[in-house]
Amino acid sequence: LPFRQTFGYMYLILAQSFLPMFFPFSVWLIEKHKPRQYLLAGTMIIGLVIGSYLGFQVSSFPIKIETIQKHMVYIPHGGPVKPFNNGVLYFLATAIPPFLSSMRGMIAFGFFILTSFSLSVLFFPDAVISVWCYFAAILSLIIYLIIRKPVYVV
């Protein structure tokens, strides 16, 4: 496919760099409870660090993009892989914010995120990046249901 590499890099910049910065910020933005905003600010800092680092990785080092068993697999070539590429900081920035929110429904959304991540790791270990983001895209529709009539519980 002639555009696989181009669109693959665009996807990686969005998923690996923009998302861990934007998601904690978006949860922080709708949060009304000040103590929870402070906790969410911590996830925003983590998201900024890992998003910047992964954005640098994606833009600085070649990545091989393959289709394996009908899933997109991204294989980095060169560049420093540790300590951030193990996914822990990415996970903290993208999976923890819903659990810190006082908005009703966000904790359930967090459990859906964790479940989809677990299923991705369990059944698609080589394609977690693409499969988990596919689940997350579907789950983002739940956000509409949560924010259309926001209810806050403290």
Side-chain angles (χ1 to χ4, degrees), residues 77-147:
H77 290 282
V81 175
K82 296 292 179 185
F84 296 121
N85 279 5
N86 61 10
V88 173
L89 293 179
Y90 185 91
F91 181 81
L92 290 173
T94 57
I96 299 305
F99 291 103
L100 301 176
S101 176
S102 64
M103 185 177 280
R104 182 176 287 160
M106 287 299 271
I107 290 177
F109 180 72
F111 279 111
F112 287 133
I113 295 261
L114 287 177
T115 301
S116 65
F117 174 74
S118 300
L119 291 172
S120 299
V121 169
L122 184 63
F123 293 108
F124 309 100
D126 294 331
V128 170
I129 291 174
S130 59
V131 174
W132 189 32
C133 280
Y134 174 77
F135 280 129
I138 293 170
L139 291 174
S140 66
L141 298 173
I142 295 172
I143 294 294
Y144 169 74
L145 298 174
I146 294 170
I147 64 172

Side-chain angles (χ1 to χ4, degrees), residues 1 14 30 34 36 39 47 50 62 72 78 82 103 109 154:
L1 299 171
L14 181 69
I30 61 173
K34 285 288 183 203
R36 291 177 187 249
L39 293 172
I50 193 62
M72 298 301 292
K82 296 292 179 185
M103 185 177 280
F109 180 72
V154 178

